[in-house]
């Protein structure tokens, strides 16, 4: 299947996928490995075409297959293909999660990409699982790269999930607004942190001093 796909022979891809299915070896694990093997730099279109054939035949892969290919699309800076793949992933029954959103945030490299940020944040808000510090740090960094401190301020007022931000995350945001000379937002963050009972660490205090 791998060789046929790389040679652009979609007819043989379908034929071998059907044979694999008939033999009972076209399971999630094997198909996920197939897509992973095809997902190499410059080979994204081939991997995506095979993934489409798999779903069209009613077979299944894991969400990791979509994430691996999505990461390749983002690295290649093919934003249109990345968003198309997200839609295909959703059509296959997989909801965007923290991994999905973290990958998409890497597309936002400078202010010209800021228009994509609200769309990713909508996905974050719709997630079934609360955001963790890793995702929140990715959001913060994307906001800084996009020069959208207004969205970062909104995020600081409305933490994702039930748990408050961690002390290091508060520190990072305080540092970001401090560098932007937004003293008022720094005070708001500090007040929110203490009100939520989050104990500042040495790093947090250092960011405040800066």
């Amino acid at each position: 299947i791998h060789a046929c796909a790389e040679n652009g022979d979609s007819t043989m891809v379908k034929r071998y996928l059907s044979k694999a299915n008939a033999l009972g070896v076209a399971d999630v694990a094997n198909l996920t490995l197939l897509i992973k093997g095809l997902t190499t730099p410059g080979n994204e279109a081939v991997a995506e075409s095979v993934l489409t054939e798999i779903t069209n035949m009613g077979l299944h892969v894991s969400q990791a297959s979509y994430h691996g290919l999505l990461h390749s699309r983002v690295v290649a800076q093919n934003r249109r293909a990345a968003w198309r793949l997200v839609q295909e992933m959703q059509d296959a029954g997989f909801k965007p999660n923290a991994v999905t959103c973290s990958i998409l945030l890497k597309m936002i490299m400078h202010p010209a990409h800021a228009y994509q940020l609200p769309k990713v944040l909508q996905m974050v808000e719709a997630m079934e699982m609360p955001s963790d510090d890793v995702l929140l740090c990715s959001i913060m960094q994307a906001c800084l790269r996009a020069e959208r401190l207004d969205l970062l301020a909104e995020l600081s007022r409305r933490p994702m999930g039930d748990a408050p931000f961690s002390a290091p995350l508060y520190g990072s945001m305080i540092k970001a607004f401090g560098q932007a000379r937004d003293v008022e937002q720094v005070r708001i963050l500090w007040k929110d942190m203490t009100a939520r009972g989050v104990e500042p660490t040495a790093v947090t205090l250092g960011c405040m001093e800066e």
Side-chain angles (χ1 to χ4, degrees), residues 3 14 17 31-32 37-38 63 110 123 130 140 146 179 193 202:
K14 292 178 184 177
L17 279 173
L31 293 179
T32 295
L38 287 169
Q63 191 168 14
H110 50 71
M123 288 187 174
M140 182 191 69
Q179 291 175 342
M193 181 182 69

Side-chain angles (χ1 to χ4, degrees), residues 38-44 47 66-78 82 85 103:
L38 287 169
T39 306
T40 55
N43 206 40
E44 295 89 357
Y66 287 96
H67 285 154
L69 186 51
L70 179 61
H71 181 264
S72 294
R73 290 299 197 186
V74 169
V75 169
Q77 298 183 15
N78 192 335
L85 190 63
I103 294 172

Side-chain angles (χ1 to χ4, degrees), residues 178-197:
Q179 291 175 342
R181 300 186 183 282
D182 190 341
V183 178
E184 181 59 30
Q185 189 59 39
V186 168
R187 289 171 177 166
I188 290 173
L189 283 166
W190 184 266
K191 183 178 179 180
D192 183 73
M193 181 182 69
T194 54
R196 293 177 179 274

Side-chain angles (χ1 to χ4, degrees), residues 3-181:
C4 293
E6 290 191 329
N7 288 324
D9 193 340
S10 59
T11 299
M12 291 304 295
V13 168
K14 292 178 184 177
R15 183 174 299 176
Y16 282 115
L17 279 173
S18 296
K19 286 185 177 181
N21 190 35
L23 291 171
V25 295
D27 55 18
V28 172
N30 284 328
L31 293 179
T32 295
L33 286 174
L34 171 64
I35 298 300
K36 182 178 181 180
L38 287 169
T39 306
T40 55
N43 206 40
E44 295 89 357
V46 174
E48 190 168 351
S49 67
V50 174
L51 183 57
T52 299
E53 291 296 344
I54 288 172
T55 54
N56 286 343
M57 292 178 65
L59 302 175
H60 303 284
V61 295
S62 69
Q63 191 168 14
S65 295
Y66 287 96
H67 285 154
L69 186 51
L70 179 61
H71 181 264
S72 294
R73 290 299 197 186
V74 169
V75 169
Q77 298 183 15
N78 192 335
R79 292 172 176 78
R80 180 175 298 179
W83 285 113
R84 182 181 66 242
L85 190 63
V86 170
Q87 184 59 57
E88 291 174 359
M89 182 186 75
Q90 291 176 296
D91 292 342
F94 295 111
K95 295 181 180 180
N97 58 21
V99 176
T100 314
C101 296
S102 293
I103 294 172
L104 290 172
L105 287 166
K106 294 177 182 178
M107 291 194 300
I108 303 166
M109 300 304 298
H110 50 71
H113 304 148
Y115 69 95
Q116 298 180 95
L117 194 48
K119 188 174 182 179
V120 180
L121 292 180
Q122 287 179 354
M123 288 187 174
V124 174
E125 292 178 7
M127 288 185 346
E128 294 179 348
M129 295 295 291
S131 304
D132 56 19
D133 266 19
V134 175
L135 177 56
L136 291 171
C137 281
S138 296
I139 294 172
M140 182 191 69
Q141 291 164 4
C143 288
L144 293 174
R145 292 194 298 268
E147 296 182 3
R148 289 297 305 271
L149 289 181
D150 58 315
L151 292 176
L152 185 56
E154 181 181 343
L155 176 69
S156 69
R157 292 191 295 268
R158 182 169 42 83
M160 310 295 181
D162 297 326
F165 295 136
S166 67
L169 188 56
Y170 271 113
S172 297
M173 288 194 290
I174 286 170
K175 183 176 180 179
F177 283 107
Q179 291 175 342
R181 300 186 183 282

